[in-house]
């Protein structure tokens, strides 16, 4: 028996949607860009090579913690020594930013719409017969987003460190700046904007309170994070693209395809 | 300057119906509801429409215009090309009564399920006091005009009739959020919102926010904060421990 908008109690209209605008653009673009990113990052993460071109370390591989890391890339030591040498160091660390984005409230919206078509657009019926939302396993795991936020916060600090040490030249002398420095700098700013505009961050800083008036400082933080939060989707896109571009630039340097443009 | 507008309007009742074509003369500056009123006055005297204020404030004239849930009184004809056909149907999530009128009692049933505001005892002088910042937070939610367009567009019930019993819908998540953020309320509604009201069935795809004529950020300011509050209560052992040790956040949990 037909259900949903075609169900027996509803106004009898045989078209599932009467929308005439180009509602499919948003899911289509999302689908293409996200798929491209997944393909690119999978290739780069598994390759385990060409991620370090002194002084630049690719954000996909930072911090580089396993013994497989190339010399110079591990400013935080190599505590992970039990992994085989072929195991790409990116895989050790990438679960955190990846998990952060996968459970992000904005990305959830985007991929539920673009990949699961649930719904592809508003007032456009979804193709699924049953729907239980985020009530059951595995989607109930979305509730751990907050923990990924904590991890992502630490990683943002490390990426900031990477951007700072990119002001050294290839021999680690201070007072250098190249296009790579600029790219890492822009990337880390976008990563911070994305991380701080997170809904969990907004909740933790002050959203969970019942009385703003009793916590004036947290209220100020919350107001600030709320402002950023309004642009969360934009930051999600910008930082996704910037992180891939930063990695690709370093890939080009590491493979000697191009050489870094030096400003000073 | 007037022109002739082509319209397709759904006419019928629970036994069936169809989109019917009409040509209505309209004036510049008019809204869809004006065109329908002229249609009613000149060609279709028995056309059923619900409306009241013509100012986007009573929430009566909800319908779907070219497939999008909107208020008929707030949809300007100038948004469309004069040559374009405008299609108007009733809301497609609620049972049909006649023409553009649907039975929205689902929403009133859901409203009844929310435990009422339970304030703390008043101050010694008999008054309740709240600070301005705390008052402001809930103001956004109070802008709701109960047009139920958000309920209409939410795919959880629009596409799945069987979810209606377990899902209160975005308009009522606003209410849960408003009460849960209220400094004077003594109830803990987090479990209830998740279990009985179906908060976890929402997949935050934001259609409610997209259609709200009052531009309430339903998903960002009510649903996601409520989901985070549920995480505090159920999925974050640190917060849970903190609330036990420091005896913070002690409120009475309501089950139904
Ligand atoms: S965000 Fe949630 S409540 Fe709003 S329309 Fe989407 S599924 Fe429904
Ligand atoms: S929240 Fe917005 S869309 Fe929903 S009933 Fe209220 S005014 Fe209408
Ligand atoms: S990162 Fe998007 S909501 Fe947390
Ligand atoms: S008639 Fe009151 S909102 Fe449209």
């Amino acid at each position: 028996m037909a259900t949903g908008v075609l169900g027996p109690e509803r106004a009898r209209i045989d078209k599932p949607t009467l929308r005439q605008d180009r509602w499919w653009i948003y899911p289509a673009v999302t689908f293409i860009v996200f798929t491209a990113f997944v393909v690119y990052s999978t290739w780069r993460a598994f390759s385990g090579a060409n991620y370090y071109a002194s002084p630049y370390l690719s954000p996909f591989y930072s911090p580089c913690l396993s013994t497989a890391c190339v010399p110079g890339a591990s400013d935080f030591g190599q505590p992970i020594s039990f992994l085989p040498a072929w195991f790409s160091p990116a895989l050790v660390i990438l679960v955190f930013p990846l998990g952060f984005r996968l459970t992000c409230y904005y990305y959830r919206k985007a991929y539920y719409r673009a990949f699961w078509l649930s719904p592809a657009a508003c007032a456009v019926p979804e193709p699924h017969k049953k729907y239980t939302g985020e009530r059951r396993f595995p989607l109930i795991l979305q509730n751990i987003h907050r923990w990924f936020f904590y991890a992502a916060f630490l990683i943002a600090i490390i990426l900031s460190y990477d951007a700072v040490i990119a002001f050294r030249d290839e021999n680690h002398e201070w007072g250098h700046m190249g296009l790579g420095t600029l790219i890492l700098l822009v990337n880390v700013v976008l990563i911070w904007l994305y991380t701080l505009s997170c809904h969990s961050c907004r909740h933790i800083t002050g959203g969970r309170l019942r009385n703003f008036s009793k916590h004036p400082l947290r209220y100020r933080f919350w107001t600030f994070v709320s402002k950023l939060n309004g642009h969360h989707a934009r930051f999600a896109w910008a930082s996704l693209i910037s992180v891939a571009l930063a990695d690709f630039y370093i890939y080009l340097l590491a493979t000697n395809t191009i050489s870094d443009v030096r400003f000073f | 300057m007037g022109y002739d507008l082509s319209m397709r309007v759904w006419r019928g009742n629970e036994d069936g119906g169809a989109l019917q074509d009409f040509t209505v003369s309209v004036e510049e500056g008019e809204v869809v509801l004006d065109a329908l009123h002229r249609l009613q006055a000149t060609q279709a005297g028995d056309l059923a429409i619900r409306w009241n204020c013509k100012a986007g404030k009573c929430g009566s004239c909800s319908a779907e215009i070219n497939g999008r849930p909107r208020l008929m009184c707030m949809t300007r004809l100038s948004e469309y090309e004069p040559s374009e056909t405008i299609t108007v149907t009733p809301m497609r999530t609620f049972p049909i009564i006649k023409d553009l009128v649907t039975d929205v009692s689902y929403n009133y049933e859901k409203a009844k399920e929310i435990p009422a505001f339970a304030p703390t005892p008043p101050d010694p002088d008999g008054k309740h006091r709240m600070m301005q910042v705390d008052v402001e937070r809930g103001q956004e939610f109070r802008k709701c005009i109960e047009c139920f367009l958000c309920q209409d567009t939410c795919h959880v019930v629009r596409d799945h009739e069987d979810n209606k019993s377990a899902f209160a819908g975005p308009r009522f998540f606003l209410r849960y959020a408003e009460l849960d953020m209220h400094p004077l309320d003594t109830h803990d509604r987090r479990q209830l919102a998740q279990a009985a009201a179906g908060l976890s069935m929402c997949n935050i795809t934001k259609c409610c926010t997209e259609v709200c004529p009052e531009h309430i950020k339903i998903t960002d300011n009510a649903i996601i904060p409520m989901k985070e509050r549920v995480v505090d209560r159920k999925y974050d052992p640190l917060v849970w421990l903190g609330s036990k040790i420091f005896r913070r956040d002690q409120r009475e949990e309501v089950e139904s």
Side-chain angles (χ1 to χ4, degrees):
Chain A
M1 200 181 70
T3 69
V5 286
L6 305 177
E9 291 200 304
R10 320 273 179 101
R12 222 64 59 80
I13 299 166
D14 46 15
K15 286 220 182 70
T17 179
L18 293 166
R19 278 185 72 164
Q20 296 157 1
D21 54 324
R22 284 179 287 171
W23 53 262
W24 43 268
I25 288 185
Y26 172 82
V29 170
T30 309
F31 184 88
I32 293 166
V33 176
F34 285 11
T35 308
F37 182 83
V38 168
V39 170
Y40 175 79
S41 57
T42 309
W43 165 57
R44 287 293 289 143
F46 278 89
S47 78
N50 302 321
Y51 52 84
Y52 184 66
S54 185
Y56 311 130
L57 173 62
S58 157
F60 283 8
Y61 285 79
S62 180
C64 209
L65 297 178
S66 79
T67 31
C69 293
V70 295
S74 303
D75 276 30
F76 298 92
Q78 300 186 334
I80 299 176
S81 54
F82 48 85
L83 291 171
W86 50 263
F87 195 90
S88 166
L91 302 176
V92 176
I93 199 69
L94 224 49
V95 286
F96 299 107
L98 218 62
F100 186 46
R101 287 185 189 245
L102 212 60
T103 56
C104 160
Y105 287 96
Y106 170 71
Y107 279 96
R108 273 143 76 181
K109 169 197 167 188
Y111 64 74
Y112 287 143
R113 282 194 182 202
F115 287 78
W116 195 239
L117 309 178
S118 177
C122 305
V124 173
E126 52 178 322
H128 313 286
K129 279 231 159 55
K130 284 272 338 147
Y131 174 88
T132 54
E134 302 186 327
R135 203 164 40 169
R136 306 221 174 113
F137 183 82
L139 292 183
I140 198 166
L141 290 179
Q142 306 281 28
N143 285 308
I144 61 179
H145 180 60
R146 181 176 301 176
W147 300 95
F148 281 117
F149 166 74
Y150 296 134
F153 194 89
L154 294 179
I155 289 182
I157 293 174
I158 290 170
L159 293 183
S160 312
Y161 169 86
D162 287 344
V164 170
I165 61 168
F167 283 96
R168 305 177 310 180
D169 64 12
E170 54 277 23
N171 305 316
H172 293 187
E173 298 291 337
W174 287 96
H176 150 273
M177 185 176 179
L179 184 55
T181 320
L182 186 65
I183 289 176
L184 288 185
L185 209 58
V186 169
N187 178 51
V188 79
V189 168
L190 291 173
I191 297 268
W192 270 118
L193 287 172
Y194 172 65
T195 309
L196 291 178
S197 63
C198 164
H199 287 277
S200 293
C201 175
R202 186 180 184 218
H203 176 76
I204 293 161
T205 47
R208 72 147 52 95
L209 299 172
R210 274 200 158 190
N211 281 293
F212 281 157
S213 49
K214 287 194 186 146
H215 304 267
L217 203 62
R218 289 182 70 182
Y219 174 62
R220 296 250 301 265
F221 278 137
W222 177 83
T223 311
F224 170 70
V225 173
S226 297
K227 278 211 187 84
L228 293 180
N229 180 263
H231 307 287
H232 190 55
R234 212 162 300 146
F235 296 145
W237 278 87
S239 59
L240 186 79
I241 291 165
S242 74
V243 81
L245 285 182
D247 173 76
F248 188 61
Y249 185 75
I250 290 162
Y251 168 80
L252 292 179
L253 293 182
T255 51
N256 288 320
T257 317
I258 57 170
S259 48
D260 193 25
V261 181
R262 279 191 79 136
F263 301 146
F264 52 83
Chain B
M1 213 185 58
Y3 62 95
D4 283 340
L5 173 74
S6 317
M7 296 191 91
R8 305 187 76 198
V9 182
W10 193 86
R11 306 227 36 206
N13 54 31
E14 77 269 24
D15 299 322
L19 288 166
Q20 281 180 24
D21 289 297
F22 297 97
T23 305
V24 192
S25 67
V26 293
E27 298 294 325
E28 211 173 318
E30 287 188 325
V31 294
V32 170
L33 186 61
D34 293 320
L36 286 163
H37 276 153
R38 188 152 313 117
L39 178 66
Q40 197 183 39
T42 56
Q43 301 172 47
D46 61 343
L47 177 69
I49 322 179
R50 207 181 257 141
W51 66 283
N52 200 311
C53 70
K54 269 181 120 177
K57 282 289 165 265
C58 72
S60 313
C61 67
S62 305
E64 298 188 12
I65 302 172
N66 285 358
R68 309 182 75 154
R70 310 191 57 170
L71 295 179
M72 294 187 276
C73 72
M74 296 305 281
T75 306
R76 295 187 167 278
L77 295 178
S78 58
E79 283 183 36
Y80 306 89
E81 293 298 320
S83 57
E84 211 177 313
T85 304
I86 297 183
T87 306
V88 188
T89 70
M91 290 192 279
R92 296 179 70 181
T93 296
F94 309 120
I96 185 69
I97 297 177
K98 183 175 187 295
D99 302 338
L100 299 178
V101 176
T102 53
D103 175 3
V104 292
S105 44
Y106 159 72
N107 302 293
Y108 300 117
E109 293 307 317
K110 293 297 162 185
K112 281 189 220 155
E113 289 169 11
I114 306 175
F117 177 53
T120 50
D123 294 341
D125 60 0
K127 291 182 180 160
H128 280 104
R129 283 186 174 74
M130 263 172 89
M131 301 300 283
Q132 187 59 25
V133 279
D134 297 322
V135 175
E136 275 161 13
R137 191 181 197 184
Q139 283 307 314
E140 180 187 13
F141 306 146
R142 302 203 71 92
K143 289 196 303 184
C144 173
I145 58 172
E146 301 224 301
C147 63
F148 303 131
L149 286 172
C150 55
Q151 305 280 94
D152 175 50
T153 198
C154 179
H155 69 115
V156 177
V157 285
R158 184 180 177 93
D159 295 337
H160 306 278
E161 185 70 32
D162 50 330
N163 283 342
K164 279 188 179 168
S165 58
F167 187 71
R171 192 272 165 261
F172 300 103
F173 297 147
L174 276 191
R175 184 73 184 140
Y176 277 100
E178 186 194 341
L179 290 170
D180 212 73
M181 292 170 187
H182 199 299
L184 299 181
D185 189 47
T186 52
H187 280 168
D188 179 348
R189 298 160 199 275
R190 294 175 294 182
Q191 290 265 59
L192 186 69
Q194 195 207 25
L199 183 70
S200 53
M201 292 171 87
C202 160
N203 67 353
I204 51 168
T205 35
K206 287 200 172 174
C207 288
C208 46
T209 309
E210 252 178 54
V211 300
C212 177
E214 284 293 318
H215 306 292
I216 303 172
K217 299 263 184 299
I218 307 172
T219 322
D220 284 353
N221 289 346
I223 297 179
I224 294 175
M226 274 316 280
K227 284 193 176 233
E228 284 291 316
R229 282 164 184 249
V230 170
V231 174
D232 277 349
R233 171 70 184 73
K234 292 192 68 175
Y235 306 107
D236 190 334
L238 286 184
V239 173
W240 180 82
L241 208 68
S243 73
K244 291 286 163 224
I245 295 172
F246 301 108
R247 302 202 50 77
R248 274 193 310 227
D249 210 16
Q250 302 294 316
R251 282 175 280 155
E252 191 189 335
E253 201 153 89
V254 278
E255 293 296 342
S256 66

